[in-house]
Amino acid sequence: MPDSLQRTPYTFDRVVRIFFTVCGLMLALYLLYVLKGVLLPFMVAMLLAYMMEPIVLWNRRWTRCKKRFIPVMLTLLEVVTVLAVFASIFVPYLIQEASQMADAIKQYASTQVDIPFISKEIHEFIQNNINFEELSKYLTQEQWGQVAQKVISSSWSVVSSSVGFIWQLISWLIVLLYLVFIMLDYERLTLSFKQLVPFSHRKKVFKIFDDIKVAMNRYFRGQFLIASLVGVLFSIGFVIIGLPMGVLFGLFIGVLNMVPYLQLISLPICFLLCLVATVSGGVAFWPLLWESLAVYVVVQLIQDLLLTPKIMGKAMGLNPAIILLSLSIWGCLLGFLGLIIALPLTTLILSYYDLYVVQRMQYKTDPEHKEPPEIETEETTSDHKEDDRPSSRE
């Protein structure tokens, strides 16, 4: 058996190292929990900068600028312009559609519905357990106007009594500052993180970092693009069949699609929207429901057969159940900060497990399998110091 596969004895020195490593990990998690309010703006800015980096690189090739300042400013201008155009076109439409939906909900709450193959007990259960009157208030145009007025208002009475609002505004300004600085020095920051890794560990650590980078590309960039396209396709389909709140509901399904196949939990909401449309618009329930399900099937086929292979490639990323479990655990521990770092940490754990456990077990059962990574010892570290040193180009 190769020396690299021999079980290292648990000496006092090794036990102490393991103990301090576990304590260090626990201390790091505790510091993340304590400093999550301070770290959140930075992590949000890092995530946004990471997602916009391909646009910066494209602008850099297009403008042929060696410096990053002009491409970064162009990227920010393009993103702000797209968001402004989207808001100017869709926000008034969404407000009008929400107001119509509020009237339809009020009508459904006070109407006896008779739909074939659906008993009256189901309608009574829905009407008794959902407060449609309260729900309709949040969809009225007056309510939207009051919310906008509170956000836009700058009177001293509002500001003086809204310290939390001021702090949130400052936090978002800090995110913007972080975003600009990170985008300007993105390549330098990436190189600095790599140089922090000792020479003797760079080969293995960079292998793990590559796995994390691939998972990040698939999830944050690839899945975000797929979710956006899926949301647009759902919105178009629902508008064509005449489903109430079709645009908003389609975009909501797109957000759910950030976790693959999570959009299926929106089916009960679709059922309720079909009920409301039947009462308010005089539309037949079953044809509208079947048309809605057809939209689900068509969009899912487009996603699985066209979008996912083209954008994400044939190689699959993390299992949807693992993604959902990771988001749930880290989100519960660290809040919104946990949702941001959930995927990198989960990928780090899985990659470490594959590198040091799975590959070694495969080598033990199949000696012809490729040699697993060696266990770091003082001898192997000294032997590979010169080989792992970066060349003059680095």
Side-chain angles (χ1 to χ4, degrees), residues 1 52 99 123 147 190 217-219 229:
M1 180 182 294
M52 290 191 288
S99 300
H123 298 292
V147 173
T190 304
N217 286 338
R218 289 174 182 166
Y219 186 77
L229 295 175

Side-chain angles (χ1 to χ4, degrees), residues 200-210 351 355-356 360 373-376 388:
S200 58
H201 298 274
R202 286 190 175 183
K203 185 175 181 180
K204 292 185 291 294
V205 172
F206 287 175
K207 167 66 170 57
I208 296 176
F209 280 176
D210 288 339
S351 180
L355 190 64
Y356 287 97
R360 292 183 184 279
E374 293 184 356
I375 300 175
E376 283 296 328
D388 292 334

